Amino acid sequence: MEKKTKRRDFLFTATYAVGAVGAGAVIWPMIDQMNPDASVKALASTEVDVSAVNPGKTITVLWRGKPVFIRRRTPEEIAEAKSVKLEDLKHPEKDEDRAKNPEWLVMLGVCTHLGCVPLDQKGDYNGWFCPCHGSHYDTSGRIRKGPAPTNMEIPEYKFVDANTIKIG
Amino acid sequence: MSEHEYTPKSKVGKWFNDRLPLLTLANHLTDYPTPKNLNYWWTFGGILTFCLITQIVTGLVLAMHYIAHADMAFQSVEHIMRDVNYGWLIRYIHANGASMFFLAVYIHIFRSLFYGSYKSPREVIWIIGIIIYLLMMAAAFLGYVLPWGQMSFWGATVITNLFSAIPLVGEGIVTWLWGGYSVDNPTLTRFFTLHYLIPFLILGLVVLHIWALHVPGNNNPIGIDIKKPSKDTVPFHPYIVIKDGFALLMFMIVFAFFVFYTPNILGHADNYIEANPLVTPAHIVPEWYLLPFYAILRSVPDKLLGVIAMLSAILILAALPWLDTSKIRSAVFRPLYKQFYWILVADVLILGYVGAMPAEGLYLLIARIATAYYFLHFLVILPVLGFKERTTPVPLSITEPILGGSPNLAAVKKKDSFKDQ
């Protein structure tokens, strides 16, 4: 009698396990279909001609549906960004690590709070200011004041030649 | 519910009813004993049913003309406004209908708060109601994205980004919600699908809400248990039907005023600019009915904690039947609760006001105080008040204050036995 029950328990457990795997195999495609599809992923990189950008000017380009700020910084801005002490930063990052070529700051123009596009040359730190919930960024795009948790993101990019930046 | 079994008079009716008791259900709904002292605050259940049906019907019609594609959605909405016969009317009813729906639901919720309708034995009705309210907010948000204007786009961006506050998996969830790396066409098509789905989920929950209501029966302005049916009750039809109908007419006058005279006053002009992923409008504000929660979100300086505070502000309502420790339901007999109730109403209105203002300076300070008070009300004041408050005597029945005695003999006996002691 006892032996019989055990055999049945095993069959139940095995059935549940196979059933769970089957259910998971059916549910996963239903969930994963919402992730970025092949056509969205195909638009992963873009090349930008920056020859017309003078110091103190920013251009905004669209990459993966998001704005990317490309700013040619003035010597004062670079000096200001470099002079900040790391311990004063909410999200400590050196300016050298954010702008490999200090004259060019290339970053996602997306506030790390809730995704609005910050305004250029505004705010308390002469960098960017997000109008949605009042985050202030400095000339290196680092968060200085307000609800955003991190600095504006630096995308992967490289200079293809002196005047062309490839993002992504 | 009723003690007598219902038998249809006609032979055909009886034949059908034995196989599917729809006539028994209809009989239950018409005879349903209702407290005879229900006031006009009780008419908003019927008004809300009307709102839901209005949204579903106008929504179905709009879906015949709307095109859910990032390149065409904005144009198709203008096409509805300008070319489709009566398209302007149907869209304005749908857009203002959402506001009217929330207006009614807020009155309905605050009615429940005043008269203690969420208390035992009506906790399940209340919780189903909170789920409906959450789904309403989801449906309203998703619907607001569909015209693909600037507010649509940036509202969608901000709200979906709330999920990025979740540690580790947040970014993955946001990408999954978007179906890309930003709000774009895949986001729009799935939002349309879900916006179409949710009203039917709400409809199902409304059936459960009413079903759960018909088990204990309605609460009433004096919040006592009544005997049903008795001198304290009237049948739902015609008494409540007529009263609900009259209130609905009054409500429709307000509704029609918005639709015909100021159809855009509750919206934002920015939403008549097509979505532009490169420019955020200078001042992003959600629709008026979400403002109190938006104020709570912004009043917390930390991203994750802000999101948690906002969600808790809604979810705390589900725990209300257990947070309110008072056995007395109606605020009529709770002199202190009555005052705190009106302070809460003021607090929520203040939150709504500062939610529409820029989050800085004095506004931010007020938002923080009001947020703190909101949680204080539910987490401290209500539990303590139930023990400390000296309530006034509750009548035994609805008729007792006028006629003396009670149709509920058990209650009279109980009172007499108190006198003897």
Side-chain angles (χ1 to χ4, degrees), chain B residues 165 296-297 300-312:
Chain B
I296 291 174
L297 169 76
V300 182
D302 182 81
K303 180 172 163 178
L304 179 59
L305 292 179
V307 174
I308 291 173
M310 183 180 72
L311 288 176
S312 318

Side-chain angles (χ1 to χ4, degrees), chain B residues 109-116 118-119 320 324 326 328-344 377-378 381-382 385-386 389-391:
Chain B
I109 291 172
F110 275 100
R111 190 287 322 272
S112 191
L113 291 179
F114 188 84
Y115 295 111
Y118 49 84
K119 290 185 198 184
L320 185 59
D324 185 348
S326 174
I328 305 296
R329 292 197 191 100
S330 175
V332 171
F333 307 107
R334 300 184 62 190
L336 282 176
Y337 174 72
K338 203 189 280 177
Q339 293 172 31
F340 284 114
Y341 170 85
W342 288 112
I343 295 172
L344 179 73
H377 175 91
F378 290 106
I381 295 174
L382 282 188
L385 209 56
E389 186 177 29
R390 189 182 284 263
T391 55

Side-chain angles (χ1 to χ4, degrees), chain B residues 3 7 38 69 74 94 158 190 207 215 219 247 299 362 385 417:
Chain B
E3 285 140 43
T7 347
L38 294 190
H69 189 285
F74 188 82
H94 196 74
V158 167
R190 66 190 56 180
V207 171
V215 176
N219 184 31
S299 71
L362 188 63
L385 209 56
S417 69

